[in-house]
Amino acid sequence: QHALQHEMGVRFKGAVKIELAMRYGNPSIADGLRKLKAAGARRLLVLPLYPQYCAATNATTFDKVFDELKHWRWMPELRLVNHYHDHPSYLAALADSVREHWKTHPRGQLLVMSFHGIPKRNLTLGDPYFCECHKTARLLAESLGLKAQEWRVTFQSRFGKAEWLQPYTDVTLQAL
């Protein structure tokens, strides 16, 4: 947070205030918003740290923001960043991270890109998460110069009896 605050201070001559907040932890979204209000913020940019849009993550973050703001008498201007799964800077950071890892660890035959799982029903109801994960993976593979057989997408973290997005990471790793 401090490095980001410093960078924004340099770029915008101190006119930007950064507050980190969490939906289910501390500092809470309400606490972060209240700090921004106390600092006199009149324009807010809400950037969930979820690159791929999912109703269960990004949308619930926005719900928490709106839950707090609905009690304010003077609503600030508001901008929401829904997703950035295919933003060039995000993809460059991912590619740099993989290349950095490959400098100290031998490159394997296959790069497994494992994303958090969600119930398959969410996809059939129109949630774009699955498609955005695949697009991120494809663009990352392209930037790394990987051939189709050198990378794979999987999904982890399934709960309950419902079918979740597949292929499952654990099953894929066992098969490999």
Side-chain angles (χ1 to χ4, degrees):
Q1 175 180 355
H2 299 294
L4 182 58
Q5 183 65 64
H6 174 75
E7 180 65 26
M8 293 296 103
V10 170
R11 288 186 187 196
F12 300 101
K13 298 180 180 24
V16 174
K17 173 83 171 133
I18 306 289
E19 285 296 332
L20 297 181
M22 295 177 259
R23 284 182 330 199
Y24 302 113
N26 288 309
S28 70
I29 289 174
D31 289 340
L33 289 169
R34 290 177 196 141
K35 285 182 183 178
L36 291 170
K37 181 180 182 181
R42 295 300 311 133
R43 294 170 44 195
L44 301 178
L45 171 68
V46 179
L47 174 67
L49 297 181
Y50 307 107
Q52 297 80 19
Y53 180 88
C54 180
T57 54
N58 304 58
T60 61
T61 297
F62 301 145
D63 288 345
K64 290 284 189 181
V65 169
F66 296 136
D67 284 346
E68 173 61 24
L69 293 180
K70 70 184 175 186
H71 301 291
W72 292 17
R73 298 293 294 163
W74 190 7
M75 178 69 74
E77 291 180 40
L78 194 59
R79 178 168 179 223
L80 309 174
V81 177
N82 285 341
H83 57 164
Y84 48 95
H85 66 285
D86 57 357
H87 192 281
S89 295
Y90 171 66
L91 293 165
L94 287 178
D96 288 347
S97 176
V98 172
R99 287 186 194 103
E100 206 49 45
H101 180 78
W102 285 345
K103 284 182 185 177
T104 57
H105 299 82
R107 180 177 161 177
Q109 296 174 335
L110 182 69
L111 177 62
V112 177
M113 295 179 238
S114 181
F115 294 86
H116 197 288
I118 62 172
K120 184 178 179 183
R121 183 174 189 275
N122 293 28
L123 171 64
T124 60
L125 291 173
D127 195 307
Y129 179 74
F130 179 83
C131 300
E132 291 187 3
C133 290
H134 277 275
K135 186 172 184 183
T136 298
R138 179 181 53 79
L139 293 172
L140 175 60
E142 287 174 8
S143 70
L144 294 170
L146 298 176
K147 297 175 185 146
Q149 68 274 13
E150 294 178 318
W151 63 277
R152 189 171 303 171
V153 171
T154 64
F155 295 92
Q156 56 186 291
S157 305
R158 60 188 190 269
F159 305 98
K161 295 180 181 181
E163 182 181 357
W164 284 53
L165 297 181
Q166 294 188 35
Y168 299 136
T169 299
D170 58 346
V171 174
T172 300
L173 293 176
Q174 289 171 355
L176 292 170

